[in-house]
Amino acid sequence: MPYENILVDTRGRVGLITLNRPKQLNALNDRLMDELGEALLAFDADEGIGAIVITGSEKAFAAGADIAAMAGWSYMDVHRSQYITRNWETIRRVRKPVIAAVAGFALGGGCELAMMCDIVIAADSARFGQPEIKLGVIPGAGGTQRLPRAVSKAKAMDLCLTARLMDAAEAERSGLVSRVVPADRLLDEALAAAQIIAGFSLPSVMMAKEAINRAYEVPLAEGVTFERRVFHSLFATEDQKEGMAAFLEKRAPQFRHR
Ligand code: CO8
């Protein structure tokens, strides 16, 4: 389908998706989420792509779910349509790494979308928050669950209950974002990180992502066992032979499965 709410591009082996509803500060609606899901799955299936970057505009990564679209809805409307969340889990089906490059506002569903990504790189202009309480609701796309895991219970309570916004420095200190860069370097830094990832062996990249995500779902002993099995399995790949041989021969590896 032709995309109306996102822009899709490739930079080398990186798939780039730009949220593009500038007048609404990239507020998320069903159509945008459908398009995002479709674009992500297409990049995931594309052998020429090894990592994906999602970004927004200078002013907003995304200012949340589209309030105008849902303001008049009844309980049954939201329940039946699964407003914007019907495609939310699609992001979790993506096996290649997804980097959120966040400038400006990442609020409500925008903050939740960033938290669905594997790495969050923030511009120094970025501001994160879950201000739904001001609208008489609560986060509805994982904010009350992923934020405490990312930044601690105390800070998640603070953000969700007071609706205050957190700047990029606080977000980095709290563990929500992995690095903060100058706003005019954001896309370059995110693409460079994605390009590095896309240069490694794809099986090991995907398995590293899967193993880290497992840490959030299972008890420690089970997670460690899972990691051990996956580690063992990578010795069945040509790329493990190549990676280790290249190290010993003091040359760059030529991974086959990228
Ligand atoms: N939805 C719709 N339109 C929006 C949104 C939004 N979330 N955010 C901004 N806009 C629109 C504004 O209405 C405005 O439109 P117009 O020019 O036509 O008046 C335009 O974007 C520019 O916005 P502002 O004039 O307000 O710009 P400011 O720079 O003054 O303020 C803010 C920027 C602080 C980001 C402000 O716009 C704001 O507070 N936005 C709302 C933030 C918010 O409350 N987000 C949470 C939304 S609820 C949510 O995300 C729940 C997700 C879970 C859903 C799961 C369902 C099951």
Side-chain angles (χ1 to χ4, degrees):
M1 80 185 161
Y3 297 132
E4 287 175 7
N5 300 285
I6 61 171
L7 304 172
V8 174
D9 198 0
T10 55
R11 305 285 173 87
R13 291 183 42 76
V14 177
L16 174 63
I17 300 173
T18 306
L19 309 181
N20 189 34
R21 296 187 76 212
K23 285 199 189 111
Q24 296 85 6
L25 303 184
N26 292 330
L28 309 170
N29 60 14
D30 274 334
R31 184 74 199 258
L32 185 150
M33 291 307 297
D34 289 349
E35 292 178 4
L36 179 60
E38 190 175 310
L40 283 168
L41 292 182
F43 279 142
D44 207 33
D46 185 339
E47 286 187 5
I49 295 296
I52 301 164
V53 173
I54 301 177
T55 195
S57 69
E58 262 176 46
K59 179 152 188 206
F61 178 71
D66 192 320
I67 299 167
M70 64 182 164
W73 285 23
S74 68
Y75 167 79
M76 279 314 294
D77 290 334
V78 186
H79 183 71
R80 197 181 302 120
S81 78
Q82 295 183 41
Y83 181 60
I84 77 169
T85 50
R86 68 164 185 244
N87 242 328
W88 203 261
E89 298 303 311
T90 304
I91 304 168
R92 292 189 61 216
R93 283 169 47 206
V94 176
R95 297 170 75 200
K96 293 171 183 169
V98 181
I99 298 177
V102 177
F105 296 109
L107 307 183
C111 186
E112 291 167 315
L113 175 59
M115 288 192 287
M116 291 289 285
C117 298
D118 302 310
I119 299 174
V120 183
I121 299 181
D124 47 17
S125 65
R127 300 184 76 194
F128 298 85
Q130 300 287 165
E132 290 91 339
I133 202 87
K134 283 164 67 178
L135 303 169
V137 292
I138 68 167
T144 65
Q145 304 303 302
R146 292 199 175 86
L147 198 58
R149 285 168 167 81
V151 304
S152 82
K153 174 185 163 185
K155 207 170 271 289
M157 287 281 188
D158 183 358
L159 294 170
C160 291
L161 295 178
T162 70
R164 83 171 172 86
L165 307 190
M166 177 164 73
D167 66 18
E170 185 182 358
E172 188 185 28
R173 269 200 316 279
S174 316
L176 181 63
V177 313
S178 68
R179 28 179 143 158
V180 178
V181 300
D184 61 358
R185 297 273 317 141
L186 175 67
L187 196 54
D188 286 345
E189 297 280 346
L191 288 170
Q195 211 67 256
I196 288 172
I197 294 167
F200 294 129
S201 170
L202 189 58
S204 54
V205 164
M206 292 200 303
M207 288 188 202
K209 167 171 169 163
E210 191 180 356
I212 292 168
N213 280 332
R214 192 57 73 103
Y216 287 89
E217 309 291 345
V218 301
L220 180 61
E222 289 205 15
V224 170
T225 302
F226 178 78
E227 180 198 75
R228 192 72 39 85
R229 298 286 172 263
V230 170
F231 178 79
H232 293 163
S233 74
L234 283 166
F235 283 74
T237 65
E238 294 163 85
D239 283 345
Q240 173 269 327
K241 301 287 172 291
E242 168 61 11
M244 293 194 180
F247 175 81
L248 294 173
E249 292 160 18
K250 301 189 188 307
R251 60 174 174 83
Q254 300 292 320
F255 291 122
R256 240 188 102 189
H257 300 287
R258 292 199 311 149

